[in-house]
Amino acid sequence: MKTDYYSLDENHIDPAVIEKAGEVIRRGGLVAFPTETVYGLGGDALNHTASGRIYAAKGRPSDNPLIVHIADTEALNRIAVGISPAALKLAKRFWPGPLTMIFQKADCVPKETTGGLDTVAIRMPANPIALALIRASGGYIAAPSANLSGRPSPTSGRHVMQDMDGRIDMVLDGGEAKIGLESTIVDLTEEVPTILRPGYISLAMIEETIGRTVYDPAILKDTQTGTAPKAPGMKYKHYAPKGELIIVNGEREAVVSYIREQIATAKEGSRIGVIATEETCRLYAADFVENIGSAKDEEEVARNLYRVLRDFDDRQVTLIYSEAFYGGGISVAIMNRLIKAAGHKIIEVS
Ligand code: AMP
Ligand code: MG
């Protein structure tokens, strides 16, 4: 399949390209598009054949449900039932934006879109290209991240082309994703609203709006096996680079000296990468040192994480050490992705 590629400026969106992309989706095809979190791989959410194509293009297991992207709140009423006042408060404060909510689904949403579940995940993205595309394609776009299953999510059009060229109809490149990590997912079908995936919208921000909210135990006990995660996607190997990734946590000096020692004593022939910060990147003599941003700016670290993991893949790095990023705000989401990418390999140093 030939993949048509278009570069768009989100401040001056070419309506002809959006019209063409909308038509592709209306007739059951697939279009990758930018959002403020990561790039999405979109198909018509109400067309079960289109959802099937999404799974095939990604190589994703079909029990892993898709998020339905909408552009207005009327659309919410058409595909969700039992919308609570709490949900409406969250929608009012955080939509359009990086928050996904889980509802009971309406009959018009096919089970292929929800991975067989009676619930549906819904988000209204903030990116103007995404909103224009949703409107042009009938109002409901099912979209997981536009990466091959198991690879880090794409945060640029280049990443999408690396994974999807030849597998989908069209790619809309809108530049770099502003947030760079997937949306927060909150389940409102539970008695106590439950965060199934941490993201830019934090637990504290949600609690400020609707009161008591909890993390799914699978997020907190991330290292514990045997807990079946409620967001089915969280059980799969995710976000992972091809090389082995090891996280090192502790006081900065101890972390730096541990990683330096590993570099110095590494096996001949290994290609070593380090995920370091603005403050520490000059302290390492590895083959590939990536400055992921300032330790003081977690949003910058979040924005760069997937690009850095993909850069290591491009350079065939075999062993990666990463500093840990425990702090406030979005660091819960950063560490959630990093720990999964590392297959839970964390070394504590002191
Ligand atoms: P992605 O589209 O790649 O960001 O992944 C979507 C995430 O949303 C996956 O982790 C899914 O398991 C989760 N998800 C989507 N729909 C539901 C649902 N109805 N209930 C629970 N989790 C969901
Ligand atoms: Mg994904």
Side-chain angles (χ1 to χ4, degrees):
M1 172 187 293
K2 181 177 174 300
T3 300
D4 290 327
Y5 171 91
Y6 294 93
S7 174
L8 290 175
D9 173 354
E10 67 172 51
N11 298 312
H12 305 276
I13 302 171
D14 181 347
V17 173
I18 294 295
E19 182 46 42
K20 206 180 282 187
E23 197 193 317
V24 168
I25 291 185
R26 286 198 306 274
R27 57 172 174 75
L30 303 183
V31 177
F33 62 98
T35 83
E36 71 278 26
T37 59
V38 301
Y39 274 71
L41 173 54
D44 181 353
L46 305 187
N47 173 346
H48 67 94
T49 322
S51 294
R53 287 199 183 114
I54 293 175
Y55 293 113
K58 273 184 72 88
R60 175 175 182 154
S62 58
D63 68 341
N64 189 355
L66 308 173
I67 294 172
V68 181
H69 294 70
I70 58 174
D72 52 56
T73 30
E74 285 97 274
L76 173 64
N77 294 311
R78 305 208 22 221
I79 57 172
V81 295
I83 301 163
S84 65
L88 292 174
K89 275 192 202 160
L90 289 175
K92 192 156 183 236
R93 173 154 177 211
F94 297 113
W95 279 2
L99 180 71
T100 296
M101 292 190 259
I102 310 278
F103 299 93
Q104 291 299 326
K105 77 173 194 70
D107 290 341
C108 62
V109 183
K111 287 256 172 139
E112 284 80 359
T113 297
T114 63
L117 300 173
D118 293 323
T119 51
V120 58
I122 305 176
R123 174 163 106 85
M124 190 189 297
N127 181 296
I129 297 170
L131 290 169
L133 179 66
I134 295 164
R135 291 191 189 104
S137 54
Y140 309 92
I141 296 186
S145 48
N147 52 285
L148 286 173
S149 191
R151 291 212 71 200
S153 297
T155 55
S156 70
R158 182 176 65 84
H159 295 162
V160 176
M161 288 302 277
Q162 281 178 343
D163 284 17
M164 291 297 153
D165 193 12
R167 302 177 74 92
I168 61 176
D169 299 282
M170 193 182 281
V171 172
L172 302 182
D173 185 339
E176 264 184 39
K178 294 202 168 70
I179 292 177
L181 292 181
E182 302 84 349
S183 59
T184 305
I185 303 181
V186 60
D187 188 349
L188 297 165
T189 65
E190 296 281 351
E191 212 169 281
V192 181
T194 304
I195 294 183
L196 305 184
R197 177 172 75 186
Y200 182 85
I201 307 291
S202 65
L203 178 82
M205 289 156 87
I206 292 174
E207 287 198 316
E208 254 172 50
T209 318
I210 60 168
R212 182 162 175 256
T213 302
V214 294
Y215 280 120
D216 182 76
I219 293 175
L220 296 178
K221 296 181 198 145
D222 218 319
T223 48
Q224 184 183 305
T225 49
T227 321
K230 179 111 194 288
M234 301 305 265
K235 74 177 181 236
Y236 295 107
K237 184 173 182 225
H238 244 87
Y239 323 113
K242 291 172 186 154
E244 180 181 14
L245 171 61
I246 297 168
I247 303 166
V248 185
N249 184 42
E251 293 295 328
R252 180 183 292 172
E253 267 176 38
V255 168
V256 170
S257 83
Y258 178 86
I259 295 177
R260 285 171 59 109
E261 200 179 302
Q262 300 310 302
I263 297 167
T265 59
K267 277 203 302 278
E268 189 78 26
S270 44
R271 289 165 71 84
I272 300 188
V274 179
I275 301 180
T277 58
E278 176 66 38
E279 291 80 2
T280 57
C281 62
R282 276 162 222 88
L283 303 173
Y284 300 109
D287 304 317
F288 305 98
V289 180
E290 289 270 10
N291 172 1
I292 196 169
S294 167
K296 298 187 206 99
D297 185 350
E298 284 159 356
E299 294 191 10
E300 186 184 9
V301 172
R303 195 157 54 239
N304 289 328
L305 177 63
Y306 290 142
R307 177 186 57 73
V308 163
L309 293 178
R310 277 182 179 257
D311 283 354
F312 285 135
D313 280 355
D314 294 345
R315 296 165 185 167
Q316 280 116 35
V317 169
T318 54
L319 179 58
I320 305 161
Y321 290 97
S322 178
E323 297 177 8
F325 301 95
Y326 286 108
I330 200 171
S331 71
V332 179
I334 296 170
M335 288 310 295
N336 171 267
R337 307 310 194 273
L338 202 53
I339 287 168
K340 276 175 180 294
H344 302 284
K345 286 186 288 286
I346 300 198
I347 291 171
E348 301 286 339
V349 293
S350 56

